[in-house]
Amino acid sequence: MEHLLNRRVQSIQMSGIRKFAMIAAQYPDAISLTLGQPDFATPEHIKQAGQTAISNDRTSYTPNAGLIELRQAACAFLSQKYGLDYRADSEVIVTNGASEALDIALRTLLEEGAEVLLPGPIYPGYEPLIRLCGAEPVYLDTTKTGFRVSGEMVRQALTDKTRCLILPTPSNPTGVVQSEQSLREIADVLEEREVFVISDEIYSELLYAGTHASIASIRSMRDRTVVINGLSKSHSMTGWRVGFTFAPAYITEQMVKVHQYNAACASSISQYAAIEALTAGIDDAEAMRAAYKQRRDYLMERLLGMGFEVIQPDGAFYIFPSIEKFGMNSFDFATRLLEEARVAVVPGVAFSPLGEGFIRISYASSMEQLRAAMDRLEAFVQTL
């Protein structure tokens, strides 16, 4: 009866990141630089808050949109950190990670036949969700613009079917950040068009210089933007599954319906831990960010020394060097690197066809592992 299964589900593929991570797992002596999993433990005070919630029997359903105390803390965090102001009672939803936040946003904003603009290369989790909505992804080629989106790039891609622009900043897989100027250029283009923006800011706390800027801070964009954020990267809470949507009330009112039937609510235990993260742990990301910057600088020095062409990441914990000079496609390069040097990276093609010719290296690993991996990579490229 396989032919009766949903054709849209059958047509989408498993993430290329996970696929290659599973291949790498077959090599126990390999150094894996594949997943976006912080190598730091969740801070102790956050773990204690979760344990206390269990001990105090705070294990029942919460309001669909999440504990009001957590929504208030999330709003205060965004206001203090980025100057974004949202109402806790009507403009915030606590979700099961940023992934569910993206899902409910897209299912609320899209209809059959709509087009969604995506800057490529890009995290592979967006396209399947778009296609499951019956909509079409339209890729913006950023490979010649330093992986940044320009207003003119958006203007040229707009059609009567364009419903939404997805804007991840800092970006996965490149670590590139959209400047305030570029955000204003994009806003100027969209101001006269009925187009929503989903601003994926999950790496907002991992910026190496300056202050994170959100397109939602621009007056004309606030009422058409859904900001996605969460605690997986900023507080090393990937398994706790705490994400957020911040959006005007008229969008949030509809998204919470989808969230209600999708998940009822996020884990109550995780929500109590998240309150601790966003209050007492408001600056927990600082030590992690400093360590990631040190690793970023080390990888830049090593990769440039090996002759790679690479754009310096401004945030997150990924670097995306070009491998075109080696005359192989990204899957073959990554496969040979794994088999011959026991280093696992993600082929660039996993991040859309525009990622071909690159590899993604995650530096959410210890300096010891990174040094060993770079030594192996250097020995490998000398054989090519």
Side-chain angles (χ1 to χ4, degrees), residues 117-120 138-158 165 178 185-186 189 354:
L117 305 185
L118 294 167
V138 176
Y139 285 102
L140 309 177
D141 185 352
T142 67
T143 57
K144 302 297 189 294
T145 58
F147 300 127
R148 290 176 175 83
V149 182
S150 68
E152 185 58 29
M153 193 182 295
V154 172
R155 186 192 309 277
Q156 292 181 11
L158 289 171
L165 164 68
Q178 291 288 142
E185 290 174 359
I186 293 167
V189 170
L354 291 168

Side-chain angles (χ1 to χ4, degrees), residues 201-231:
E201 303 177 19
I202 190 67
Y203 295 98
S204 60
E205 280 294 278
L206 302 180
L207 212 69
Y208 302 130
T211 303
H212 171 73
S214 172
I215 197 168
S217 66
I218 300 171
R219 185 185 299 272
S220 63
M221 290 292 106
R222 200 246 190 221
D223 284 344
R224 65 173 72 195
T225 298
V226 179
V227 173
I228 306 291
N229 216 315
L231 302 182

Side-chain angles (χ1 to χ4, degrees), residues 277-289:
L278 292 174
T279 53
I282 191 169
D283 293 321
D284 278 351
E286 288 185 3
M288 292 183 247
R289 180 169 60 241

